[in-house]
Amino acid sequence: STSPDSGAVEGRKGKGGGAEEGSEYGGLMFTFDYFKRPEEYESKVNRTDSLSGAEDTFQQTFSPLLQRFYTLFSSIVTYHSDLHSFLSDLSSGYYIQYTLDNLLQDVEGRQLLIETVYLYGSMLLLMEKHIPGPVREKIIVAHYRYTEGGEGALEDVDKVCKLCRSTNYVPGSPKPKKYESKLFNRLPLPPDFCKSILSRLLLDDVYLRASAFPDPSHRSVRLFPQGSMVYVVLYFCTSLMKEDERGMREVVDRFFNDNWIISLYMGMTVDLSVEWATYPAAIKALLPTLTPKNVKVLNNDNAQLIKRCMSDLKLYLTEGLLTPQYVLDNTDDILNAVRRCNVALKWRLCHRHTGDQKLKAIIDPSVPEALVVNLLLRSAELEMKVKTIFKSLLDGKQEKWDKCKEGVTGRMKELSDYFTGEKALTRVERDEGLIKWFAGLAHEIGSLDINDHTVTGRKIQHCIQALEDVEQFEVIDRDLSIKAFLKDAREGLFQMVRAVNIKSSVLQILETSTDLSYAWAILPDYIPQLHALIKADARTTVLLRSLFLKMSSMLDVPVLRIIQCSSPDALSVAEYYSNELVGYVRRVMEIIPVSVFKILTNIVVIKERRLKPLPVKLEVDLTKDYAQMDERYELAKLTHQVSVFTEGILAMEKTLLGIIQVDPRAILEDGLRKELVRQIAHAMDKVLTFQTNSSPSETHASCIKAFSALSNRVNGYRLAIEYIQDYVDIAGLELWGGEMQRIMGYYSEQEANKYLQKKIYDSQSRYQSRAIPIPRFAPPPNDSNINFMGRAVSALLRMTDASTTIYSPECGGWFLRDGTEVMGISMISLLRTSISIPGLLGVDSLLSFRIVNELRQFLKFYTSKAKTYGVLLEQIRDGLFPEWKNIEDNGRLYTAAMKKLEAIMLPILTSLRRIGQAQLMRKMIANEVLFRSRLDASMVQECLSSLDESMVNDIRKHYRDSSKPMPSEESPLLPALSTLLAANGHSDPLNKVYITTDPLEGLPVVLLIFTTSYLSKLEYDPAFGSLRRTKSSYPLDGWPLVTGMATLLKQFHPSYATSLLAYLGQFVRSTVSSILSPQNSSSSKATQTSDLPKEVVNCIVFMVELSQTLRIDEATLYECVPRYLVETIGQKDKKQ
């Protein structure tokens, strides 16, 4: 239940983690009351426009998550059905050789049957804790509503609804009345079977842990797993907890006489004083354990045990003491010390979580957290060393045995030969008795078998005794060389005894007694203490490796049975828990990069503000001034501190945690990445905040200030990473580039969610990482943007608002009416230095989403109005047909059309203005990116250009001759190349198709009337090289209008653009013709082409700019409007 629940929580997080992001979907989430009146609820949703729109988004975004939750609930139902079927088959005699009784007599059968009940109950308790009842109901109803086929398409829907119905229980509070009947008796287990299981738990040592904890005072620890199982099974026999005081007294005396905090599956802690509060017999039996007097005794005993453990650990961890020989000679004492440490730890770790404040006040002050952590680390270190020594002894056991046996046997044979008297330099008489005796002893030793421990050990003892007795012979007693020979032989036999005593059972005892699975959910509480320990002495990180190895034993609990049944899920389960454990390791070790970054802040201050830059040439007299010895000493000191911190983590060896090998170097790098991401994200969120109702000039000033401040901070972080990369052995600039790309990509992606129907949440983001998370921030009050990327884009849009600024293509920027630049190349360059190239690409992507959104809104608006104005547009088009012909009474036609279509002009103006504004900004960003690419990565830029050109040539050749090859649709080459080209500025936003559209009837006619409506409000300004508004109150500008219309036309067939140019040309020709007609020939001024009406001049300029933007050749333009008119306008502009 952990994975889907984490996704659900994420779905309820707010923008930046603040307000509830899922609040907009609250009207779509129904409890089981929905099934009583489904029509009423559906009609409510359909009547509300906001709910109807949100429902499509909710369905597309969360359907996979709802399916995962339903699969979880259905799996519990399936588990219960399978267990119930097995028990029915077992009782009916289906398994001929097995019955419930003889299965409970078998050790493994008893364990498996008990675990089936325990796991089923644990699933119910975990579900109730992590997914409250109302949430379960809403999930099931939502999945039911969005599943095709409804009830018929869902498996076991009735049982799932029965299981998941709310029990009105709130985690942490007392159980409601009849709680067990609401949860455990909905899908019950046979009562007799549950009672049989409970009786076995009360009578037997189910897991045979007596060898691991032989001391009677450790009984509750030995039976700790059974106590957890008893707690769960009792929910299936609640009459015992309610009425049977004698039975509950037996339960408490056996399992809970000295503890009341237990751990369920994978560390879910349970306080019996809270959970049993509503069960009279249970709480009455537990009260003697909970009395303050008894708790004080238990607490004092545990505190004394901890002191003794620390003394033992100090002894055994003395440098050089734990040798293989010492471990073999003192195995029992070491095992007892390990047992005591783990018993003390288990009681202290668990009972610090008691919910009773009075008892907590007794327990917490007696033993400081630092001492508990020290005991945990030291005991883990002892366990690791002992396990390592025993593993090496076991691996070399046979080799050592063979070597010792060969040596002793050889000595016996040499002694036998020695007493023959035939060896050189021997002056002994031949002794047949000793010859035969030593030869027989050699044969006896050679026949010893290491696998027969008992017999072999006894024979070796006899051999040792015999060698001691034979020394009493006079011939041997007076010969010192023979006595030395016999001493070596006895020592060899002693080594053989030690080899026999090297048993794998010692490792099994260690594994059982050092189990830490009960603390899976407890150990995260001690991370601050571990951090304090590391900050005090970074070299203590070496001790953490032993703790992590101790924690890796937790993984045996969830995967043991899965592996035994050869389930294909073993790998995924092991991977999940291994990742969880690695995540804990990262959280513990993250204090090192945090500390490193604090030091880096001081390093940056010294390098940037206090150290003088060294000139190329320096006078000798000024050497002392530029040396700045104090500052350089402080810099060296800080650098050494960084090295000390990283030295500690790099001293750790690679460690296998579950199925994942943890490399300390990778942990350090990930930690530095995480802290770098956090620092940069916080800096950007804090700095990039702007006023929402400011003028372009005010926004310009605030942007300059914010971008400059952010640029300095970001550049400082980059220099710091670059400075320390050699000291911590990482590729600093590669790290910097990768994380900046992730940060900007993530925040751009999240900001783009407001344009998407199917949202992208953290769990689906390709930029978000669990190991190196990117933080989310709550937006400022009354701000519609999600994060700082949205705020930056909004500031840029306010600064370049087409209703108050003028865009000049020659100057490459936006200006106020008085010529003051508010947005230009310098501003884009400053923005690049503050948010980097990935940040610029993020702004570009948000502008693309804005353009797509505006285009869709325009299409929606136009389609809705097409029915109203369809006949009128048809009449206007008939009046304009054919386009090459001049209209005689053009003034009346255009004036009437403009008046009738006046209502839709302003919405069209708003859409085109926004589209054009965004497109011009995208073009400016692309130019900046391309310039930096040519400057900083010229070889990459040239390679991409060549590859792009060659690919285009290949595609053209293919379409001319299909036999020529080109990349297939399945090939990733073209998409990858397109992405790289966009990232290097090789893209033209004005030439892109953003959306797919259906033909829109009358669109060129509407755009003609729109253009002629607003041309009179514009005038050509040679200073800016563009059309600009004649009055400051007019909310339009020339180039954004041209660019917006060009982008709109680009989404349709090229004939739309050609038709619009033809209509505009017809307007120009008709207007000029009417002016030059005989009726108006009396006007001398009007007959001069240099004094054409403003509408005609503006229209020609507009047509030229539009054709250039759409890349329409001049020949097509001159077909629509006479060439001499265009050239006349151009000459007029030059004169001005």
Side-chain angles (χ1 to χ4, degrees), residues 36-243:
K36 299 177 182 178
R37 305 181 302 277
E39 296 82 4
E40 178 182 336
Y41 285 94
E42 293 296 343
S43 63
K44 178 183 176 182
V45 172
N46 295 330
R47 287 196 309 267
T48 309
D49 294 338
S50 59
L51 290 180
S52 299
E55 186 165 40
D56 295 335
T57 303
F58 182 84
Q59 183 176 1
Q60 292 187 27
T61 305
F62 294 109
S63 288
L65 186 61
L66 294 173
Q67 177 62 50
R68 291 176 63 193
F69 272 109
Y70 189 84
T71 302
L72 168 68
F73 301 144
S74 179
S75 298
I76 298 176
V77 172
T78 303
Y79 182 93
H80 171 267
S81 300
D82 292 346
L83 176 57
H84 203 278
S85 298
F86 170 75
L87 294 176
S88 298
D89 292 341
L90 189 64
S91 61
S92 64
Y94 181 82
Y95 305 102
I96 299 174
Q97 69 274 33
Y98 294 111
T99 63
L100 178 61
D101 291 336
N102 61 26
L103 276 180
L104 290 174
Q105 293 295 329
D106 182 75
V107 174
E108 293 185 358
R110 181 166 60 241
Q111 292 176 0
L112 290 172
L113 282 175
I114 292 173
E115 287 174 15
T116 57
V117 182
Y118 169 66
L119 290 176
Y120 177 55
S122 297
M123 283 188 284
L124 296 180
L125 291 171
L126 287 168
M127 180 186 71
E128 185 74 358
K129 178 180 179 180
H130 293 292
I131 316 175
V135 176
R136 296 196 299 267
E137 292 188 3
K138 292 177 180 179
I139 289 173
I140 292 172
V141 171
H143 184 59
Y144 174 86
R145 292 180 64 231
Y146 299 134
T147 300
E148 292 185 10
E151 183 176 352
L154 297 179
E155 185 179 358
D156 297 326
V157 63
D158 292 335
K159 290 184 178 179
V160 169
C161 291
K162 184 178 180 181
L163 172 71
C164 296
R165 185 178 297 278
S166 176
T167 61
N168 300 320
Y169 169 65
V170 178
S173 62
K175 299 286 193 305
K177 292 183 178 180
K178 299 183 179 179
Y179 169 75
E180 64 283 349
S181 63
K182 292 180 179 179
L183 183 63
F184 292 89
N185 292 340
R186 288 172 177 173
L187 298 178
L189 295 177
D192 293 339
F193 169 69
C194 294
K195 290 179 180 178
S196 299
I197 294 297
L198 185 60
S199 65
R200 285 297 175 182
L201 286 170
L202 293 174
L203 296 175
D204 300 335
D205 182 3
V206 176
Y207 290 95
L208 309 178
R209 289 160 57 94
S211 59
F213 297 99
D215 194 325
S217 63
H218 299 164
R219 185 186 64 179
S220 62
V221 178
R222 181 176 76 246
L223 299 176
F224 192 85
Q226 284 181 232
S228 302
M229 294 178 176
V230 167
Y231 168 78
V232 174
V233 174
L234 280 173
Y235 278 111
F236 297 97
C237 309
T238 51
S239 60
L240 189 68
M241 292 194 290
K242 292 178 179 179
E243 303 168 358

Side-chain angles (χ1 to χ4, degrees), residues 966-976:
M966 68 167 284
S968 62
E969 294 182 359
E970 293 78 13
S971 173
L973 177 59
L974 290 180

Side-chain angles (χ1 to χ4, degrees), residues 556 563 583:
D556 295 339
I563 293 175

